[in-house]
Amino acid sequence: MSDPQGTWVLLDPTLAPPRSTTLTPRLNTLAGKTIGVIWNGRPPGDVLFNKMFDVLRTKYAIKDVVFRAKPYLGNVAPPEIFDELLKRCDAVVTGVGD
C-alpha cells in the first residue's frame, strides 16, 4: 500500500491479533433458537443457505433465521450488522458463495 506521496506502508500478516478473544459456549440445542447469517454476497450462497436452513428448521426446529449480506464481499461486515445480529440471535454463522 502507498500514500499519494509514494511512502510505502508495510503490513505484516504474521503479527498476533491486537486483542484476545474467547469463544462463546456451544448451544445445547438449536430448537427454538434464532440463527444469524452474515453472507459475503456471492452467488449462489443465498440459495445454499436458504436450503440449509429449511433442513435445519425441519430437523432441529430452529425458530428463525436473520440473513444479512455484507455490502461488499471483500470487507468485514459493518458494525451495524454485528450489533443487530448479536441483539436478535442466539448464534451467528458466516458464509460464502461459490
Side-chain angles (χ1 to χ4, degrees), residues 2-97:
S2 66
D3 67 19
Q5 282 73 36
T7 302
W8 287 84
V9 177
L10 177 62
L11 303 176
D12 185 351
T14 63
L15 295 176
R19 60 187 164 97
S20 64
T21 59
T22 57
L23 296 176
T24 301
R26 185 180 294 226
L27 296 175
N28 292 335
T29 180
L30 293 177
K33 305 296 186 198
T34 298
I35 309 299
V37 179
I38 300 173
W39 172 48
N40 74 346
R42 294 188 73 163
D46 54 340
V47 175
L48 176 66
F49 275 120
N50 286 328
K51 297 238 184 248
M52 180 180 73
F53 282 107
D54 285 344
V55 170
L56 291 175
R57 280 185 185 94
T58 302
K59 189 170 181 177
Y60 297 103
I62 62 173
K63 177 181 170 185
D64 197 11
V65 176
V66 180
F67 196 85
R68 296 292 177 260
K70 296 188 326 180
Y72 178 71
L73 66 97
N75 292 341
V76 174
E80 301 81 39
I81 290 177
F82 287 108
D83 292 342
E84 176 193 7
L85 295 179
L86 287 173
K87 288 177 188 170
R88 295 183 57 192
C89 303
D90 299 291
V92 178
V93 297
T94 61
V96 298

